[in-house]
Amino acid sequence: MVTVNRNYLKLPGSYLFSTIAKKVKAYKEANPQAKVISLGIGDVTQPLVPAVIEALHKAVEEMGHAETFHGYAPDLGYEFLRTAIAKNDYQHRGCHIEADEIFVSDGAKSDSGNIQEIFGLDNKVAVCDPVYPVYVDTNVMAGRTGDYSQERGNFDGVIYMPCKEENGFVPELPKEVPDLIYLCFPNNPTGGAITKDQLQEWVDYANKNGSVIIYDAAYEAYITQDNVPHSIYECEGARTCAIELRSFSKNAGFTGVRLGFTVVPKELVRDNVSLHSLWARRHGTKFNGAPYIVQRAGEAVYSDEGKAQLKEQVGYYQRNAKAILDGLSQAGFTVSGGVNAPYIWLKTPDKMASWDFFDYLLEKANVVGTPGSGFGAHGEGFFRLTAFGTYENTLEAIERIKNL
């Protein structure tokens, strides 16, 4: 008899952003005259910059000629892209990362869900709360957790590290030692950041206890403060305890193009096995590589023209973030984030439940955000807005919220 992976049945409801999409679709169908502005899902709105478009066109032309045609990509990704990443994202910042420690993929979401496959099912997992749902859900699917508790709003067998207003939405070192620690900074969803000294404490903790940190640095392009690290490898000892995930989605607008990478240092060994070798085996077996034309587009991100154009584009979204942060603060909301990240984390008014505020905002202001409770129990009473809309829509959305 055919059986199914019953771990999937532990998951409550559908994926958070699928639920939001369904609710918004139903509202639009019932209210076709409404002009709904979405500041919910973190999808970009600005077009690809000229340097990237030029690289795409050139690569497409190459694919039309036998002498420059490319088939399957190398397992780790093309060397031209990995070398550019190593040089610009790491070596220029004083981080010792080599090109052959970089694995090119189709995005950080895929890697953040797939990385758990190289670890045993008996590993104890620690996550921030609130948290990007993929970290938790994929460990549930694998069978690394217990059941979901409706009362607590979380899963048995997972170490949750509360990120609260009183601790600046930065988690404290867990008393129960985990095997795998998921950290995301600048943070999704709270928009919070961590200082280099704070991150060094996590690296020291992981090395002392033999833990592995899975560090999601997808939003590092939005860092504005000097004491906030762009990579965990800026910390001493990170090569022996940390895997880093990166994305081209938010720094270069590749949400629809799809490109990312994961860094696994060769010095990272657990259970007498090289994690670099394990991820290389998994990557080579289950992934056929990002397309050549996309990797050439990724290379263009590191050109002088690409860097200048993308600095301007990131600045566009940072201006949106400042407008949201300032506008809501002036309106009396309690808000944070938006300084080193494209996310603004606001406290719902009058202790309103997160989903109730979602419905209220959609119905009264025709504005879409993301309920904080969708990111975990400690997200209840909070709400996330993104800076990825157009500047005009962002200003209009904030005015609508202020006029409620």
Side-chain angles (χ1 to χ4, degrees), residues 153-214:
N154 57 33
F155 286 92
D156 296 330
V158 175
I159 299 172
Y160 288 91
M161 304 179 292
C163 297
K164 303 178 182 179
E165 189 176 7
E166 52 264 36
N167 63 10
F169 301 106
V170 174
E172 298 175 357
L173 297 171
K175 294 181 175 60
E176 179 184 0
V177 177
D179 300 299
L180 305 178
I181 304 169
Y182 286 80
L183 294 177
C184 173
F185 289 103
N187 185 256
N188 177 17
T190 67
I194 193 170
T195 66
K196 185 177 178 180
D197 288 344
Q198 288 174 316
L199 187 55
Q200 185 67 59
E201 291 181 11
W202 283 94
V203 169
D204 294 342
Y205 175 91
N207 278 321
K208 176 183 176 181
N209 293 289
S211 307
V212 172
I213 297 172
I214 299 171

Side-chain angles (χ1 to χ4, degrees), residues 265-342:
K266 292 179 181 177
E267 295 169 26
L268 183 49
V269 176
R270 290 296 183 273
D271 199 15
N272 297 314
V273 178
S274 163
L275 297 188
H276 181 278
S277 297
L278 285 186
W279 186 242
R281 187 67 171 87
R282 192 268 172 204
H283 207 62
T285 300
K286 292 192 173 186
F287 185 63
N288 262 339
Y292 171 74
I293 60 174
V294 173
Q295 294 198 44
R296 279 297 185 191
E299 180 189 31
V301 166
Y302 299 103
S303 67
D304 289 341
E305 297 82 2
K307 288 179 182 178
Q309 292 163 9
L310 289 171
K311 182 178 181 181
E312 184 177 340
Q313 188 172 90
V314 168
Y316 178 95
Y317 294 128
Q318 288 174 322
R319 182 172 65 154
N320 287 354
K322 187 176 189 306
I324 297 171
L325 191 66
D326 291 348
L328 293 180
S329 296
Q330 292 166 10
F333 286 89
T334 300
V335 290
S336 59
V339 176
N340 296 294

Side-chain angles (χ1 to χ4, degrees), residues 22-351:
K22 290 175 184 176
K23 289 175 77 75
V24 173
K25 182 175 182 289
Y27 181 80
K28 286 182 176 179
E29 289 174 351
N31 302 273
Q33 78 289 347
K35 180 190 174 185
V36 176
I37 297 176
S38 178
L39 300 181
I41 296 174
D43 196 2
V44 296
T45 54
Q46 297 304 292
L48 297 172
V49 298
V52 169
I53 291 295
E54 182 180 348
L56 283 169
H57 281 301
K58 182 179 178 181
V60 168
E61 183 64 27
E62 288 179 33
M63 295 295 281
H65 303 278
E67 60 272 19
T68 53
F69 173 79
H70 289 78
Y72 291 127
D75 281 357
L76 272 67
Y78 286 99
E79 187 173 352
F80 62 76
L81 177 58
R82 292 185 288 107
T83 298
I85 291 170
K87 178 181 177 182
N88 290 278
D89 285 333
Y90 295 101
Q91 293 164 11
H92 279 182
R93 294 191 179 278
C95 303
H96 174 209
I97 296 295
E98 301 297 331
D100 62 357
E101 295 175 313
I102 295 165
F103 297 81
V104 177
S105 71
D106 61 354
K109 179 178 181 180
S110 299
D111 286 352
S112 65
N114 294 330
I115 193 69
Q116 52 80 27
E117 290 188 22
I118 67 173
F119 298 101
L121 295 183
D122 55 348
N123 282 302
K124 195 81 168 185
V125 175
V127 297
C128 295
D129 184 4
V131 63
Y132 179 50
V134 173
Y135 310 152
V136 176
D137 289 1
T138 51
N139 278 287
V140 174
M141 293 169 177
R144 207 171 278 110
T145 74
D147 293 327
Y148 182 77
S149 168
Q150 291 285 352
E151 182 180 353
R152 294 195 314 273
N154 57 33
F155 286 92
D156 296 330
V158 175
I159 299 172
Y160 288 91
M161 304 179 292
C163 297
K164 303 178 182 179
E165 189 176 7
E166 52 264 36
N167 63 10
F169 301 106
V170 174
E172 298 175 357
L173 297 171
K175 294 181 175 60
E176 179 184 0
V177 177
D179 300 299
L180 305 178
I181 304 169
Y182 286 80
L183 294 177
C184 173
F185 289 103
N187 185 256
N188 177 17
T190 67
I194 193 170
T195 66
K196 185 177 178 180
D197 288 344
Q198 288 174 316
L199 187 55
Q200 185 67 59
E201 291 181 11
W202 283 94
V203 169
D204 294 342
Y205 175 91
N207 278 321
K208 176 183 176 181
N209 293 289
S211 307
V212 172
I213 297 172
I214 299 171
Y215 193 75
D216 187 344
Y219 305 99
E220 62 81 28
Y222 292 82
I223 292 172
T224 61
Q225 295 177 318
D226 292 338
N227 64 339
V228 176
H230 289 252
S231 168
I232 195 169
Y233 301 116
E234 294 178 40
C235 295
E236 184 178 351
R239 286 182 55 85
T240 56
C241 71
I243 293 171
E244 184 164 287
L245 313 175
R246 288 283 190 102
S247 170
F248 285 77
S249 288
K250 306 310 193 297
N251 68 325
F254 279 30
T255 54
V257 178
R258 306 309 306 150
L259 189 66
F261 61 89
T262 289
V263 180
V264 187
K266 292 179 181 177
E267 295 169 26
L268 183 49
V269 176
R270 290 296 183 273
D271 199 15
N272 297 314
V273 178
S274 163
L275 297 188
H276 181 278
S277 297
L278 285 186
W279 186 242
R281 187 67 171 87
R282 192 268 172 204
H283 207 62
T285 300
K286 292 192 173 186
F287 185 63
N288 262 339
Y292 171 74
I293 60 174
V294 173
Q295 294 198 44
R296 279 297 185 191
E299 180 189 31
V301 166
Y302 299 103
S303 67
D304 289 341
E305 297 82 2
K307 288 179 182 178
Q309 292 163 9
L310 289 171
K311 182 178 181 181
E312 184 177 340
Q313 188 172 90
V314 168
Y316 178 95
Y317 294 128
Q318 288 174 322
R319 182 172 65 154
N320 287 354
K322 187 176 189 306
I324 297 171
L325 191 66
D326 291 348
L328 293 180
S329 296
Q330 292 166 10
F333 286 89
T334 300
V335 290
S336 59
V339 176
N340 296 294
Y343 298 118
I344 290 80
W345 191 241
L346 66 99
K347 185 181 289 188
T348 59
D350 302 322
K351 298 184 178 180

